[in-house]
Amino acid sequence: MPSVTLLGQAVIAGVLIGGLYGLLAAGLSLSWGLLKYINVSYFALAFLSAYLTYQFGTFNGIAPWWSAVILVPAFFLLGVLQHWTFMRLRVTELTSLVVTFGLAVLIESLIQWIWTADFRKYESGFSGLTSKIGPFFVPTLDFLALVSATILAIATWSWLRWTYVGKALRAAAMDPEMASAFGIDHRRLSFLLSGICSAYAAVAGIFIALIATLAPSEIGTWIGVAFAVVIIGGVGNPLGALLAGILIGFAESVTMAVTQPAWAPLVSFTILIVLLLWKPRWT
Amino acid sequence: MLLEASHLNIAYGDAPAVWDVSLDVDEGEIVSVIGPNGAGKTTLINALAGLLRPRGGALGIAGTDLMSVASHDFCRHGIALVPESRRLFAAMSVEENLDIGGYRSAARRHRNESLEQVYALFPALRERRRQIAGLLSGGQQQMVAIGRALMARPRLLLLDEPSLGLAPAVVNDVFAAIGRIHRGGVAILLVEQNVPKALEIANRAYVLEQGRIVASGAPEPLLARAEIREAYLGFAN
């Protein structure tokens, strides 16, 4: 059994990484729930954003917040373009998984071609920053990621819950024909949502660049966790995705501290299977 | 004339469902379309609501040609549908369903006023406005479906089988509400299998059989015809 300090440190690390899981899963959750596209290309897009942040910061001297100013709108447009292409190709819910998986492989190859398969670490100059709370260390960047994830999740959730556009998106996901009978132009709204999903990937990527070590092969390791987060949090629910991300991050981190790091990948799917068998009301 | 449909042909893929149907509804009227199962009543009303696009013929409202209007713009021209089997947004609350009804910008400006009208018409909905629509009883769901259409502030309300699956007492409530909506100045086109109810409330009626209009006119002369009494009321004399 590890010491209380070590366990507390593991809890903090887990909860903080949960913010990143939430950011990464948000795009898939929204697109699956409201556009009926199971879009796994967002993980590759997040890594593209991470590599661009690394590139801008390391070789062009652009600070990560300026990268955000460039990448978030650029990825929004990329999401709109992607949706336009999917509509032209008549991609359906079922085929979307295959098409976007292919797209993810394509983006991964592109990343590997440009930046090679070597591990890359973005030395932003902030990676060592921590604050000390009692006996615990809180890494500043991870904390920022969680704060950003929380703000974005609450904003997106409120937008879907309270605004006309949000209600229209939810209604159109349930019955597009009836939504259209009341004046909802689902096509136009779906472009907006697709842009937002892709912009989420950009934000996730910026924090991945700041926190993690980059390699094209890392994309695959994040997909499994993100799928579990999406399903546990409730498909189409951005706040649920964040809470599920924190839950899984917490459980993984505590498992690593109590047993061995090798057990961590088991955690997310164990939680997923238990919840699918138990079926609590929120899933 | 408010709604004018002439020589409409409607088909699903290669299978024609409605042929050469002409029908009109004037301001202030209640018009019923009766007919047996599979006659094409729902097909016809869905085409009038813009959900299905006719293959041929003409469709217009208050002088505006609807044939080239996008489906999602039909409600802007004052048409609102209460669809068969209600088709509520089941996972959303009652009030969210009503808000979808009032989505178009001209309707949004009157949101609170419209909500008050709907709650005055169906007081049961006011108490249940935060409940999930899919969990309500059939009668209450029908009220939500009618309320949702009213939130769009229509000139013409299209009702598809509003009595379907409801207890007789609830059917009476629904028809009483339809009467009040009509007296409030909304023209109504009603498709119904409950022929006595549909003819009792209507100013005029059409009989649709196998995709064609076979008779039309005021309810009394229609009911005076033995073949119609026999087919729809189950007795000839």
Side-chain angles (χ1 to χ4, degrees), chain A residues 161 167 170 175 177 183, chain B residues 72 75 87 92 96 99 108:
Chain A
R161 183 88 174 75
K167 288 175 202 171
R170 287 187 290 139
D175 188 341
E177 207 179 45
Chain B
H72 61 260
C75 77
R87 289 173 73 172
M92 295 169 80
E96 283 179 331
D99 272 336
R108 274 184 223 184

Side-chain angles (χ1 to χ4, degrees), chain B residues 3-28:
Chain B
L3 181 83
E4 266 182 296
S6 49
H7 309 293
L8 285 184
N9 287 311
I10 313 162
Y12 293 101
D14 289 332
V18 167
W19 288 275
D20 195 31
V21 163
S22 298
L23 165 155
D24 48 61
V25 182
D26 207 351
E27 304 268 7

Side-chain angles (χ1 to χ4, degrees), chain A residues 188-199:
Chain A
R188 232 177 54 192
L189 296 183
S190 61
F191 281 115
L192 174 68
L193 191 69
S194 182
I196 289 171
C197 291
S198 178

Side-chain angles (χ1 to χ4, degrees), chain A residues 73-105:
Chain A
F75 273 62
F76 181 92
L77 291 178
L78 210 58
V80 173
L81 183 71
Q82 192 188 51
H83 192 65
W84 181 80
T85 314
F86 287 178
M87 300 228 306
R88 286 297 298 266
L89 299 176
R90 298 179 192 286
V91 174
T92 64
E93 184 169 6
L94 209 62
T95 55
S96 68
L97 191 55
V98 182
V99 170
T100 59
F101 182 76
L103 198 58
V105 172

Side-chain angles (χ1 to χ4, degrees), chain B residues 8 43 49-50 69 98 102-103 112 123 134 136 144 148 167 196 204 207 218 236:
Chain B
L8 285 184
T43 304
V69 164
L98 297 177
Y103 179 81
N112 292 335
L136 299 179
V144 178
R148 178 177 67 178
R204 285 188 304 120
V207 182

